[in-house]
Amino acid sequence: MKLDEIRRAHGGNLDNCPVRDVLANLSGKWSSLLLIVLAERPRRFSEIRRLVFDISQRMLTQTLRELQRDGYVHRLVVPSTPPKVEYSLTPLGHSMFQPLLALIEWADQNHMAVREARDRFDAIAE
Amino acid sequence: MKLDEIRRAHGGNLDNCPVRDVLANLSGKWSSLLLIVLAERPRRFSEIRRLVFDISQRMLTQTLRELQRDGYVHRLVVPSTPPKVEYSLTPLGHSMFQPLLALIEWADQNHMAVREARDRFDAIAE
DNA sequence: CGGTATCCAATGGGATACTG
DNA sequence: CAGTATCCCATTGGATACCG
């Protein structure tokens, strides 16, 4: 794909633009972290909460709903007492997670380079 | 890389977590769009503004600064009258753009699947 | 031309309390 | 257990005016 095609997809067609429309919902504070947890294996609500221990209950519910709405996450309710709810990645979710994982691995490997760039920038600016 | 390693990198080490620290700055409303424009070729301030025509001057300046601070973007001032400022991707920026582009292409190719998932979700919820 | 500065509205997100 | 509901604060981002 050519870069100018991607760029032009944005012009004149703002709400439909894939970059804006799709990536926007992956850009939240918690989305990628929840996807990492669910890509490993299906998890229950309380399990996810323990793993991402500083997320509030409100944001966990809300972010899972958004990911479910976009078709990345499946929500399975097991009616029992107490109720169980299991979250898992859909095929679409797994498909999307492949390129996302590449970006996550880049972040992991180049974390220090970014931090050093920041320190240099801040040192000059003072 | 194993998923549980990525996940565990988050636990107990919150501010240093690469996922949070690096991806957070790529998650803004304009970051990926500006990176797409600059990955094509270097551009002047006013050029970028024309291409991403609905960005405000304030957000263009601010987002470019953040990308520059993290080491993705280089800012070259040509002192002339009128002044010229050219923005371009650094080697680190080009390196990061490879996995980002894969995600952008995924978004482009699966845009409709995501929209359909949304419609189904909204239809059930009503 | 390429910015800053200021003000304001909208959104994101945390804390707490309550519920089937 | 897995949520909702409410309130409130912090951050994001848009509009406008001004500047070297």
Side-chain angles (χ1 to χ4, degrees):
Chain A
M1 175 185 291
K2 292 164 192 165
L3 280 170
D4 63 328
E5 290 176 18
I6 301 175
R7 177 173 58 71
R8 252 182 278 277
H10 145 261
N13 198 10
L14 291 154
D15 295 333
N16 250 2
C17 170
V19 180
R20 299 184 186 227
D21 195 32
V22 178
L23 261 53
N25 288 33
L26 300 174
S27 297
K29 181 173 178 180
W30 303 107
S31 304
S32 55
L33 290 172
L34 297 191
L35 288 166
I36 291 172
V37 167
L38 292 178
E40 200 179 350
R41 65 177 175 85
R43 298 277 190 182
R44 293 180 55 184
F45 187 87
S46 52
E47 262 186 307
I48 305 172
R49 204 180 172 188
R50 265 197 310 279
L51 293 169
V52 187
F53 65 91
D54 59 335
I55 193 172
S56 66
Q57 198 171 23
R58 181 184 179 277
M59 289 314 297
L60 179 52
T61 304
Q62 187 174 304
T63 308
L64 284 171
R65 280 298 172 285
E66 285 166 12
L67 294 174
Q68 185 191 357
R69 179 169 184 264
D70 279 12
Y72 304 131
V73 164
H74 178 66
R75 179 172 179 268
L76 177 66
V77 182
V78 181
S80 59
T81 46
K84 295 181 186 181
V85 181
E86 192 178 72
Y87 292 90
S88 56
L89 287 198
T90 62
L92 189 71
H94 279 290
S95 161
M96 183 276 290
F97 191 70
Q98 299 308 312
L100 180 60
L101 179 60
L103 190 61
I104 288 168
E105 289 181 332
W106 188 95
D108 198 53
Q109 288 158 22
N110 298 88
H111 187 197
M112 277 310 147
V114 172
R115 291 183 67 98
E116 284 166 16
R118 266 178 216 161
D119 290 344
R120 279 195 300 276
F121 185 90
D122 294 345
I124 294 169
E126 239 138 344
Chain B
M1 176 186 290
K2 291 165 193 166
L3 279 171
D4 63 327
E5 289 176 18
I6 302 175
R7 177 173 58 71
R8 252 181 278 277
H10 145 263
N13 198 9
L14 291 155
D15 295 333
N16 249 2
C17 169
V19 179
R20 298 184 186 227
D21 194 33
V22 178
L23 261 53
N25 289 32
L26 300 174
S27 296
K29 180 174 179 180
W30 303 108
S31 305
S32 55
L33 290 172
L34 297 191
L35 289 166
I36 290 172
V37 167
L38 293 178
E40 199 179 350
R41 65 176 175 85
R43 300 277 191 182
R44 293 181 53 186
F45 187 86
S46 51
E47 261 185 308
I48 305 172
R49 204 181 173 189
R50 265 196 311 280
L51 293 169
V52 187
F53 66 90
D54 59 335
I55 193 172
S56 67
Q57 196 171 25
R58 181 183 179 278
M59 288 316 296
L60 179 52
T61 304
Q62 187 174 304
T63 309
L64 284 171
R65 280 298 171 284
E66 285 167 12
L67 294 174
Q68 185 191 357
R69 179 169 183 265
D70 279 12
Y72 305 130
V73 163
H74 177 67
R75 179 172 180 268
L76 177 66
V77 182
V78 181
S80 58
T81 45
K84 295 180 186 182
V85 181
E86 192 178 72
Y87 292 90
S88 56
L89 288 198
T90 62
L92 189 71
H94 279 291
S95 161
M96 183 275 291
F97 190 71
Q98 300 309 313
L100 180 61
L101 180 59
L103 190 60
I104 289 168
E105 289 181 334
W106 187 94
D108 198 53
Q109 288 158 22
N110 297 88
H111 187 197
M112 277 310 145
V114 172
R115 291 182 67 99
E116 285 166 15
R118 267 178 216 162
D119 290 344
R120 278 195 300 276
F121 185 90
D122 295 345
I124 295 169
E126 240 138 343

